[in-house]
């Protein structure tokens, strides 16, 4: 399986601001030495040595993750990240589109997804919500979208109602799901093929009682190779935003330890956090893993354009 992150922000799209660009430039200038500017080679070496939060960006698009396995194409949520997927990827004959839930930041990109306007592509949409077709089509109807958008969107879209205790098999990929704690509900999915398992668990407010007694939790989470998991808040914030439906990085790591998950990708980043803040959260998360004697867990920031192979 190949997993590609196209959108990793939570709540609203978050473009890099002019002030943030200026701060990155100033931070780079403060680190430069005369010897770094001698020639093209030294300049390139200096740039490559800059911290990731200066040289790059986590990205500002909302949730969208792509899974490819052989000729099977799966999309997890249709936040604004799906627009780049449509402009950078060739269009296959078929997509399997899974919605964790229908909050705006997880659906708002679909009307801007170029492949949705290709009459030759087929979409199989999967959701736990009875009213999924209504939610889906309403956002691309007036007054939320121009009238022509709804008319041009490909109509070969089939909706599949799925259930927590229902295991799906799509082209050899085993898929299970679990309801998570989030206002209005949200669902985590696991995708397992060729002995590898990836879990997508966005928008979840983790509490121990939510998973220790879960009937289907082991099928979804146990021994996963990697998980992309909501870690929107700091520890301090999670106490002041109880019942908002999101978690802190330490809860995400505890969750991974409980289910023996090897790699954790912190996901659904707070829109108020810039790249420097997110880097500090990553460092704190890695420190926390050491503190609880689980340095064997690998912790990363989910970033736009990041691709992992399982």
């Amino acid at each position: 399986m190949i997993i590609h992150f196209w959108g990793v922000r939570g709540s609203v799209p978050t473009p890099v601001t002019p002030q943030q660009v200026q701060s990155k430039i100033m931070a780079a200038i403060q680190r430069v030495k005369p010897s770094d500017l001698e020639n093209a080679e030294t300049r390139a070496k200096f740039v490559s040595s800059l911290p990731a939060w200066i040289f790059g960006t986590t990205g500002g698009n909302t949730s969208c993750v792509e899974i490819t396995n052989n000729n099977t194409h799966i999309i997890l949520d249709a936040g604004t990240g799906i627009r780049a997927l449509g402009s950078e990827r060739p269009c296959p004959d078929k997509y399997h589109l899974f919605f964790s839930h229908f909050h705006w930041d997880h659906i708002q990109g679909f009307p801007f997804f170029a492949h949705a306007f290709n009459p030759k592509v087929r979409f199989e949409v999967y959701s736990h919500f009875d009213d999924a077709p209504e939610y889906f089509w309403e956002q691309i109807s007036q007054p939320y979208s121009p009238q022509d958008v709804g008319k041009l969107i490909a109509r070969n879209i089939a909706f599949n109602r799925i259930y927590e205790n229902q295991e799906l098999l799509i082209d050899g990929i085993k898929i299970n799901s679990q309801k998570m704690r989030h206002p209005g509900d949200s669902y985590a999915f696991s995708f397992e093929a060729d002995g590898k398992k990836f879990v997508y668990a966005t928008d979840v407010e983790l509490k121990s009682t939510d998973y220790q007694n879960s009937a289907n939790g082991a099928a979804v989470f146990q021994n996963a190779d990697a998980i992309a998991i909501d870690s929107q808040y700091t520890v301090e914030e999670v106490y002041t935003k109880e019942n908002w439906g999101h978690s802190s990085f330490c809860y995400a790591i505890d969750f991974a330890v409980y289910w023996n998950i090897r790699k954790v990708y912190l996901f659904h980043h707070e829109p108020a956090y810039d790249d420097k803040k997110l880097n500090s959260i990553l460092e704190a998360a890695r420190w926390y893993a050491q503190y609880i004697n689980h340095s064997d867990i690998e912790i990363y920031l989910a970033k736009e354009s990041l691709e992992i192979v399982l």
Side-chain angles (χ1 to χ4, degrees), residues 31-191:
R31 286 167 168 76
V32 72
K33 303 185 299 291
S35 59
D36 295 324
L37 305 176
E38 289 178 356
N39 53 54
E41 183 178 352
T42 60
R43 290 192 291 270
K45 184 178 180 180
F46 167 72
V47 170
S48 65
S49 71
L50 289 171
W53 69 267
I54 297 177
F55 183 54
T57 183
T58 303
N61 282 301
T62 59
S63 301
C64 181
V65 177
E66 175 192 27
I67 298 175
T68 54
N69 189 65
N70 299 321
N71 294 318
T72 302
H73 299 265
I74 297 172
I75 301 174
L76 311 178
D77 284 332
T80 56
I82 202 172
R83 186 190 66 82
L85 190 163
S87 63
E88 297 183 27
R89 291 281 201 245
C91 186
D93 296 329
K94 183 178 181 180
Y95 278 116
H96 300 275
L97 174 56
F98 285 77
F99 282 107
S100 62
H101 62 309
F102 285 87
H103 285 172
W104 195 247
D105 52 323
H106 294 259
I107 65 172
Q108 64 192 140
F110 195 84
F112 305 94
F113 182 35
H115 297 174
F117 298 88
N118 186 332
K120 296 181 180 179
V121 66
R122 177 184 171 192
F123 288 89
E124 292 287 344
V125 179
Y126 303 85
S127 166
H128 293 80
F129 296 86
D130 290 330
D131 296 326
E134 178 184 342
Y135 300 152
F136 181 87
W137 289 115
E138 185 176 8
Q139 68 144 339
I140 54 176
S141 64
Q142 290 181 305
Y144 309 110
S145 294
Q147 182 177 0
D148 290 344
V149 172
K151 292 180 179 179
L152 293 172
I153 288 286
R155 290 287 162 168
N156 49 347
I157 299 177
F159 289 86
N160 301 274
R161 173 67 162 88
I162 56 176
Y163 299 87
E164 278 188 85
N165 58 356
Q166 175 188 5
E167 183 175 280
L168 301 179
L169 190 65
I170 298 175
D171 299 338
I173 304 172
K174 186 169 66 175
I175 302 163
N176 282 284
S177 60
Q178 170 72 42
K179 184 166 72 173
M180 310 301 283
R181 179 187 292 270
H182 188 72
D185 296 336
S186 178
Y187 290 81
F189 296 96
S190 65
F191 300 85

Side-chain angles (χ1 to χ4, degrees), residues 4-15:
H4 191 105
F5 292 93
W6 294 98
V8 298
R9 287 281 176 175
S11 304
V12 293
T14 312

